[in-house]
Amino acid sequence: MDGARPLNADAVGLGLRRALLGPLRSAAPTDFDFLELAPENWIGVGGRYGDALGELAARHPLVCHGLSLSLGGTEPLDETFLIRVRRFLDQHQVRLYSEHLSYCSDDGHLYDLLPIPFTEEAVHHVAARIRQTQDIVGRRIAVENTSTYATPHQEMSEIDFTNAVLAEADCDLLLDVNNVYVNSINHRYDASAFLAALPGERIAYIHVAGHYDEADDLKIDTHGAPVKDAVWSLLGEAYRRFGARPTLLERDFNFPPYAELVSELDTVRAVLREHAPAAARQAHG
């Protein structure tokens, strides 16, 4: 952990996907500042993929974003898996490890990120599991606000639930700006008010991504399309309110030419310069 490389506040990153290994390995040094990967997809991987990971990890800081911990689930946490995650984080000098504020298992893996009921009981349950995770991996983690299409057993708002979990677990937040926008349309709340109510000091880094417009009142979080103008605007608002934060462009499938991804990263930098210029200058010393 002591050797983990910190990220500048204005760092921009891409997801480490096997379909992008070629362009990422041959990328210019200024294309991106860090890479994000799901540890589940890389722990124990050897051969040419393992060699590629080692090469990229030696050149770029890594952050890890988990897929299968199921923080909101009822089955006991997989402590053996978390011990392997800790070894992976230490091996690759990973400072940031995040997971979804959701659940994805029930007597087996469900292969989807499902909404946690927004209740006091769920706050205590999830916060305890986050604290247990942090104890095992030996570092604070960040939890990501997730996109939802239904909110079963809702006793409190999403923002109140999120803030209660962050406070009780004493963890950080991975702020997904696209998910805030998607949920604000799907559940008809004010995205700006949601941002304003967040504890900015807990925001470890930011995700920005594309989504699919199913209808005027229904947006689907896909990570398979370019970022839309409304999400760029909300990202700018986040920078104005919270200052610069490391920001990851999420793209999980339907990959465009690599140059188009770099162009979107340049847009992230442009939004940052416009809306948090002082923070951007400070990040460069």
Side-chain angles (χ1 to χ4, degrees), residues 16-25 35 37-58 62 88 91-92:
L16 176 50
R17 306 292 183 260
R18 295 186 185 186
L20 294 176
L21 275 178
L24 294 178
R25 294 176 78 178
L35 293 169
L37 59 86
E40 293 90 334
N41 293 337
W42 293 92
I43 289 174
V45 171
R48 62 188 181 95
Y49 288 125
D51 292 342
L53 173 60
E55 175 191 319
L56 289 168
L62 300 181
F88 184 86
Q91 176 187 356
H92 295 291

Side-chain angles (χ1 to χ4, degrees), residues 160-192:
D160 288 344
F161 176 80
T162 301
N163 285 345
V165 169
L166 295 175
E168 186 167 329
D170 191 20
C171 65
D172 291 328
L173 173 68
L174 164 52
L175 172 59
D176 191 308
V177 172
N178 182 65
N179 288 351
V180 173
Y181 176 77
V182 165
N183 286 358
S184 74
I185 301 299
N186 293 345
H187 303 296
R188 296 164 180 78
Y189 66 67
D190 186 328
S192 296

Side-chain angles (χ1 to χ4, degrees), residues 179-243:
N179 288 351
V180 173
Y181 176 77
V182 165
N183 286 358
S184 74
I185 301 299
N186 293 345
H187 303 296
R188 296 164 180 78
Y189 66 67
D190 186 328
S192 296
F194 186 97
L195 287 182
L198 289 172
E201 70 279 1
R202 292 191 182 272
I203 299 173
Y205 70 115
I206 291 174
H207 275 181
V208 64
H211 62 265
Y212 175 68
D213 293 320
E214 179 69 28
D216 289 344
D217 59 352
L218 178 60
K219 311 301 178 185
I220 308 297
D221 179 35
T222 63
H223 302 173
V227 179
K228 295 182 181 292
D229 288 344
V231 178
W232 287 128
S233 296
L234 197 61
L235 177 65
E237 185 173 341
Y239 289 148
R240 289 195 301 274
R241 184 171 296 278
F242 304 119

Side-chain angles (χ1 to χ4, degrees), residues 45-149:
V45 171
R48 62 188 181 95
Y49 288 125
D51 292 342
L53 173 60
E55 175 191 319
L56 289 168
R59 291 164 47 196
H60 307 284
L62 300 181
V63 301
C64 283
H65 184 47
L67 298 172
S68 60
L69 195 52
S70 198
L71 288 172
T74 57
E75 295 295 314
L77 288 173
D78 188 340
E79 295 189 11
T80 300
F81 167 69
L82 282 172
I83 291 170
R84 297 180 72 200
V85 168
R86 179 171 184 165
R87 291 172 181 160
F88 184 86
L89 301 179
D90 291 343
Q91 176 187 356
H92 295 291
Q93 300 179 2
V94 177
R95 184 177 296 271
L96 289 174
Y97 174 48
S98 62
E99 251 288 359
H100 300 84
L101 193 54
S102 63
Y103 74 98
C104 58
S105 63
D106 182 18
D107 193 27
H109 204 285
L110 300 174
Y111 300 100
D112 205 351
L113 300 173
L114 300 174
I116 302 169
F118 296 156
T119 66
E120 289 287 348
E121 180 182 8
V123 168
H124 303 321
H125 174 72
V126 175
R129 289 165 71 87
I130 293 172
R131 292 195 302 270
Q132 181 184 359
T133 297
Q134 293 183 142
D135 287 344
I136 295 172
V137 299
R139 51 190 36 88
R140 289 171 70 91
I141 73 166
V143 292
E144 180 188 28
N145 57 295
T146 57
S147 57
T148 59
Y149 309 97

